Amino acid sequence: MEFKYVGAMPVVSEKGVGFDETKPDKYTFLNATIELLEALNYGETQTTKHLHNVSAREYSSLELMELLRKYGSNLDEHIISSGLKAEILVNDLIQRVYENKMINEDGRKAWLNNIELMKEYYFQYVINESAYKCALEALGQEIHDGRVKEVIFPMFRNYGLVLHDLDYILQHRKPPIDSNLTVETGKEGLFGKLTIFH
């Protein structure tokens, strides 16, 4: 098992394969999430406001896996559940093909072949999604443990999208943590600010 980019969520039919660009591959966000984890990994300190300096580092698939194992104690559980989730997804797609009364036998056969062709793609897509969720949960834990109250970050390399997704994770923790994500202007241009209310 490895993390690798596959692309947006596939949409399969009897006519071929398309991609839903509104559901991007979460692998795209893993690097920024791990970078934020590395930046905020120092436990509880007197400093509660953090400025994230960009390293512009691209982690390899193996490095992403090792760092996620370091921070996300439940990575293996996420991976196992993602395999089951992907299997259910593919089986549901197959079931829908058999239940569809609007297509003929040739269309059904083509559709099932297209699903089979994309099976590994679906599995990788779901694995990447699970790894990203694991990374977000670990990031939420680091913010909780460090009592981080503010993170300032540049408006590129997906940091804003990662911290936007983190907002959901923080709200659904037990106990929940409120946060507010804003975009502000400074001397050097736009920057993002995540304010956390413990």
Side-chain angles (χ1 to χ4, degrees), residues 88-112:
I88 289 168
L89 172 67
V90 169
N91 288 337
D92 283 349
L93 291 171
I94 291 169
Q95 186 66 34
R96 279 193 247 155
V97 172
Y98 283 115
E99 290 173 356
N100 189 324
K101 305 295 182 207
M102 304 297 287
I103 59 171
N104 61 29
E105 197 53 40
D106 287 340
R108 182 172 284 115
K109 194 177 207 180
W111 200 340
L112 291 170

Side-chain angles (χ1 to χ4, degrees), residues 46-170:
Q46 295 299 319
T47 305
T48 58
K49 295 184 178 185
H50 302 278
L51 174 64
H52 177 57
N53 294 318
V54 182
S55 70
R57 175 157 185 216
E58 289 297 325
Y59 295 100
S60 71
S61 177
L62 183 60
E63 288 173 317
L64 288 171
M65 180 80 68
E66 288 172 1
L67 288 166
L68 263 177
R69 279 211 162 84
K70 174 182 168 184
Y71 294 112
S73 59
N74 59 354
L75 176 64
D76 292 326
E77 292 171 28
H78 276 279
I79 299 302
I80 290 167
S81 72
S82 69
L84 295 172
K85 185 178 171 185
E87 202 169 306
I88 289 168
L89 172 67
V90 169
N91 288 337
D92 283 349
L93 291 171
I94 291 169
Q95 186 66 34
R96 279 193 247 155
V97 172
Y98 283 115
E99 290 173 356
N100 189 324
K101 305 295 182 207
M102 304 297 287
I103 59 171
N104 61 29
E105 197 53 40
D106 287 340
R108 182 172 284 115
K109 194 177 207 180
W111 200 340
L112 291 170
N113 283 338
N114 289 336
I115 292 171
E116 185 61 33
L117 284 171
M118 297 305 290
K119 194 173 183 178
E120 289 302 315
Y121 187 108
Y122 277 115
F123 273 79
Q124 189 64 54
Y125 180 90
V126 174
I127 285 171
N128 293 346
E129 189 174 57
S130 293
Y132 179 58
K133 184 176 182 205
C134 180
L136 285 174
E137 288 172 359
L139 185 55
Q141 189 64 45
E142 290 296 331
I143 285 172
H144 172 268
D145 293 348
R147 307 291 296 168
V148 175
K149 292 184 179 168
E150 189 174 274
V151 178
I152 297 171
F153 57 93
M155 292 301 297
F156 61 95
R157 290 181 57 84
N158 295 320
Y159 301 119
L161 291 168
V162 167
L163 292 171
H164 177 267
D165 290 345
L166 177 67
D167 184 54
Y168 177 85
I169 298 294
L170 293 174

Side-chain angles (χ1 to χ4, degrees), residues 27-42:
Y27 181 85
T28 307
F29 310 122
L30 268 177
N31 202 81
T33 311
I34 294 296
E35 198 175 328
L36 287 165
L37 262 169
E38 288 277 87
L40 296 174
N41 176 37
Y42 33 71

